[in-house]
Every structure is written in C-alpha cells, then in structure tokens.
Amino acid sequence: CSESDLGPISLNWFEELSAEAPS
Amino acid sequence: NVAEQLTPVLLDGLREESLQLVSKLKDSSGSCAVDVSTVWWEAAGSRELRVVTACESSVSLWKPLASDRWGKVYTWQLGEIPVIQIVPLLDTCNLVCIALGDLEIGEIRLLLYSSENDSFKQSPVKTGNIKAVLGLKDRRLVSSSRTVQEQQVEIVSFSETGRSKDGQTLMPPEETVLAFAEVEGMSDALVGTTAVNSIVVWNLKTGQLLKKMHVGYSYPASICHRAYSDSGLLFVVLSHPHAKESESCGNPAFRVIAFNPKTARSTGVMFSSLPPGHAGRQVPGGLCVPASYLEGDVKDASAAAVLTSGAIAVWDLLLGQCTALLPPGPAGSWVLARWAATSACLLAGQRDGTVCLYRY
C-alpha cells in the first residue's frame, strides 16, 4: 500500500484519534 | 474406518497443510448441536483445554480422557429459551458465556465452576435486544443492544469467581453494530462492523468512538473477525457469508483490508474465495444452489467455514488460498466449524452432536 492510495499514515494513529475525538 | 472416511481432500497444487483427525466426541442426548467451542479449565492445579458443546436446551463440558476419548464432565440445563451461541472468554479459566434467544439474542448467561462451594453454576449477565457479543481478554465481554430509541454498546467485566463488576459504556455509532473484533497488539482498541457496512473503532479505556470507515457496498453484510495494527495501518479480516462460488473473483468469502484510520481510506490486501469446483447443494427439482458459505471462524491467519454443500473449507488468509476441504462425513453434512483456543486445532461439528477435532 502506498501513501498516495491511503493518504498520510501515522504510526500513532490511535493516540492522535483519541486526542481529537469527542469524549 | 471412520478416520479413513473423514480424511480431508487436499486441493491440487496447494501447500501441504492438511487436517488430521485427532479425536471425536458424540453427545448421545439426541438433541441438535447448536455450537461448539473450547475453554481452558483449571482443576487440581493443572490447566487443560476442554470442549464445550451446546444444544438448544443444555450446554455440556467435556474433558479429555485416555486414548483420544472425551468424557462429559457436567451439563448445564438452560430452561425454555434456546441456546443459540457459545461465547468463549479468551485467556480465562473455568468461565464461558452463552447467548440465548429465539431469532436474536435475548440473554447472555455465564456458566462457571465455583471452587468456593465446589459446584457448577450459571448466572445472568445481560438481557435485552442484543445484536452482537464478543468475549474479550481479561475476562471482559462486549455487546451491542438496541432499545427503540438508542443503541447501547457495553463492556461487562468478571472477577475470577465469575461475579460481574461495574460495566463500561462505549459511545455508540448511529448504525447497529453487528460484530466486534479486538485489535491485536493494541489492548485499548476495539473494532466493530455495522449494518450499513462501516468499520468503527473505539478506545476501550475512554469509551470514545474514534473513527467510522466505510467498507463499500460491493461487499454487503461484512462481518469483522480479526483486526491488528501494523505500520500505521489497521488490518481487518472481514467475511462475507453471501459469497458465491460463481462470483468468486468479485465476491470473496474472506478479505483482509488495510485501513488508514487517519484518512478512513482503505485498500484490499488479500482475497480468499470459495473453492472452485465445489458444487452447491442439490435441491428437489434438480436445481443446484451455488456453494456459498454459511458460517465461519478465523484464528490467526486461518479461516474455516461451513459451505452450503455440507463441506468445511479451510483457507490461509495470507496466501488467499483454500488449503483443505473436509467433505461431508458418512453421517451427514458439517454444520459447525470453529478453531480451538490452542493453535492449529479445528472443531468440526455435525447436527447429530458429533464433534471431530482435527489438527491443522
């Protein structure tokens, strides 16, 4: 899978989404 | 003789994995088999894997005896509501849950052995209009249920003695959640598939709904079986029970999809189609119903499913290939295919209560 197909990839996606999502 | 007749057929040109019949048990109660599973059981200081079988009105626990035989240890009688599913709790001992109901799950019950008073027990866990349930690590159970107004996604924890601790609620998506999968290697992450073909991701610690990602309508009724995170991507194993042999290219039985949770974009990684040439079921009038898959189970990189033909197919999901096919036995079709809690052991069940254990 390339970044162009899937968009920018982050190894810390879980932490970043947790910081952004409403709680 | 039985072992010989049940020797699985390997498909041409595939790797030399095969299924070896190890042992067999049969419930002689005469009731129809509903589900089969395994559970770790600790007795007299040692831990062993036991088999749990369910028919509509009872659930039995089996222990291994000498010379590949199995003996029934205990049978829980369940009453009037039929058992429809065994819900194993991963990595736990002496506890197993079951789902009861008519067409849908109306109750979840815990079955256990209590060393405090040396007795087998059952206790209610949850009632309601339950759409999906999954046993998680650390003696936890997640379920989705619906009331007229709203959906509730709840986690219940159990103590070692089976007592329910305080529940935790996860933020529900708008759509009904139909299946769950823990994200391997990420203890706080859980995924689910919904009735409109979305993947949702939760943070189990905070209860937050982190992301909703669409799977695509070309693969209807997707059910998640397994998920793991690697290199910033979320890999999800989905099954499609309505897969048809005749559409094997465009409608696989199992798919591994890589999602980028940051952008919600996805790409297919591997497709596993129904085995070619495995004809469907003949029905009165000479019509042939194409082979499709009725129900299945995934463990690690292996998938197993019962086909409408009455056979069980096993796939290597990383190769995207069917690696073994267990034809219907002399006593009839297979109706259940489950992986045991140990690696590389397949439980194959027939309607009459026969369960065969195969080493894979």
Side-chain angles (χ1 to χ4, degrees):
Chain A
C1 319
S2 67
E3 284 225 349
S4 58
D5 295 334
L6 296 168
I9 290 166
S10 169
L11 294 177
N12 300 316
W13 64 267
F14 187 74
E15 292 75 17
E16 289 168 13
L17 292 179
S18 296
E20 294 162 10
S23 50
Chain B
N1 187 37
V2 168
E4 199 172 295
Q5 288 177 43
L6 293 179
T7 301
V9 175
L10 266 179
L11 300 170
D12 291 342
L14 300 177
R15 279 164 49 173
E16 289 185 5
E17 273 119 349
S18 63
L19 295 163
Q20 275 180 296
L21 183 64
V22 176
S23 60
K24 183 177 174 179
L25 60 89
K26 181 165 182 350
D27 197 330
S28 53
S29 67
S31 308
C32 281
V34 170
D35 203 355
V36 63
S37 187
T38 53
V39 58
W40 287 108
W41 212 263
E42 207 165 283
S46 68
R47 200 171 99 128
E48 66 183 12
L49 197 69
R50 296 189 173 180
V51 171
V52 183
T53 57
C55 60
E56 277 201 352
S57 60
S58 64
V59 174
S60 297
L61 179 71
W62 302 73
K63 68 178 288 183
L65 304 172
S67 17
D68 297 333
R69 288 169 51 245
W70 292 82
K72 205 185 276 187
V73 179
Y74 187 77
T75 297
W76 288 270
Q77 297 296 336
L78 278 316
E80 287 177 12
I81 310 170
V83 180
I84 50 180
Q85 188 188 341
I86 297 170
V87 187
L89 295 167
L90 303 175
D91 301 333
T92 58
C93 267
N94 301 17
L95 298 175
V96 65
C97 283
I98 53 163
L100 304 109
D102 289 307
L103 288 174
E104 294 197 322
I105 302 170
E107 183 183 344
I108 298 167
R109 216 175 281 187
L110 180 70
L111 308 179
L112 72 155
Y113 169 76
S114 166
S115 56
E116 285 172 0
N117 44 13
D118 188 26
S119 63
F120 290 88
K121 290 181 172 177
Q122 52 179 297
S123 62
V125 174
K126 189 179 173 73
T127 56
N129 187 8
I130 298 163
K131 301 292 184 182
V133 58
L134 179 73
L136 307 175
K137 288 188 188 112
D138 304 325
R139 291 191 300 276
R140 292 174 303 166
L141 185 96
V142 63
S143 63
S144 62
S145 55
R146 272 251 170 234
T147 63
V148 176
Q149 288 94 12
E150 60 176 14
Q151 176 174 218
Q152 188 189 42
V153 182
E154 189 189 28
I155 293 186
V156 178
S157 302
F158 303 103
S159 71
E160 278 185 33
T161 53
R163 289 189 181 90
S164 298
K165 297 186 202 164
D166 290 342
Q168 185 204 350
T169 305
L170 304 182
M171 199 178 286
E174 285 168 18
E175 309 92 36
T176 304
V177 179
L178 299 179
F180 295 100
E182 277 190 286
V183 181
E184 291 159 32
M186 295 184 86
S187 57
D188 294 332
L190 178 77
V191 302
T193 36
T194 75
V196 294
N197 250 20
S198 290
I199 295 276
V200 285
V201 186
W202 287 278
N203 182 329
L204 284 175
K205 198 175 258 178
T206 61
Q208 289 166 294
L209 179 62
L210 300 182
K211 200 77 179 179
K212 193 165 80 178
M213 303 177 283
H214 201 247
V215 176
Y217 285 115
S218 51
Y219 302 102
S222 300
I223 292 169
C224 59
H225 287 266
R226 208 191 140 203
Y228 55 96
S229 180
D230 191 1
S231 308
L233 296 174
L234 178 66
F235 292 83
V236 184
V237 177
L238 297 169
S239 75
H240 310 281
H242 303 303
K244 297 276 192 299
E245 183 199 1
S246 56
E247 306 162 56
S248 58
C249 294
N251 206 349
F254 291 91
R255 286 190 305 157
V256 183
I257 306 283
F259 290 90
N260 180 353
K262 290 288 286 182
T263 61
R265 290 191 211 162
S266 64
T267 186
V269 176
M270 194 54 80
F271 301 78
S272 298
S273 298
L274 290 166
H278 194 71
R281 183 168 42 98
Q282 204 76 28
V283 296
L287 293 170
C288 189
V289 178
S292 67
Y293 125 59
L294 295 174
E295 60 130 49
D297 194 20
V298 174
K299 186 173 170 57
D300 302 327
S302 302
V306 176
L307 311 181
T308 43
S309 61
I312 290 176
V314 177
W315 291 265
D316 182 321
L317 296 174
L318 297 180
L319 291 174
Q321 284 185 337
C322 180
T323 51
L325 193 67
L326 203 56
S333 300
W334 298 109
V335 293
L336 298 166
R338 299 274 183 274
W339 295 106
T342 49
S343 57
C345 178
L346 179 74
L347 303 160
Q350 292 177 336
R351 188 58 75 203
D352 69 354
T354 302
V355 175
C356 294
L357 284 84
Y358 287 91
R359 190 178 296 120
Y360 174 55

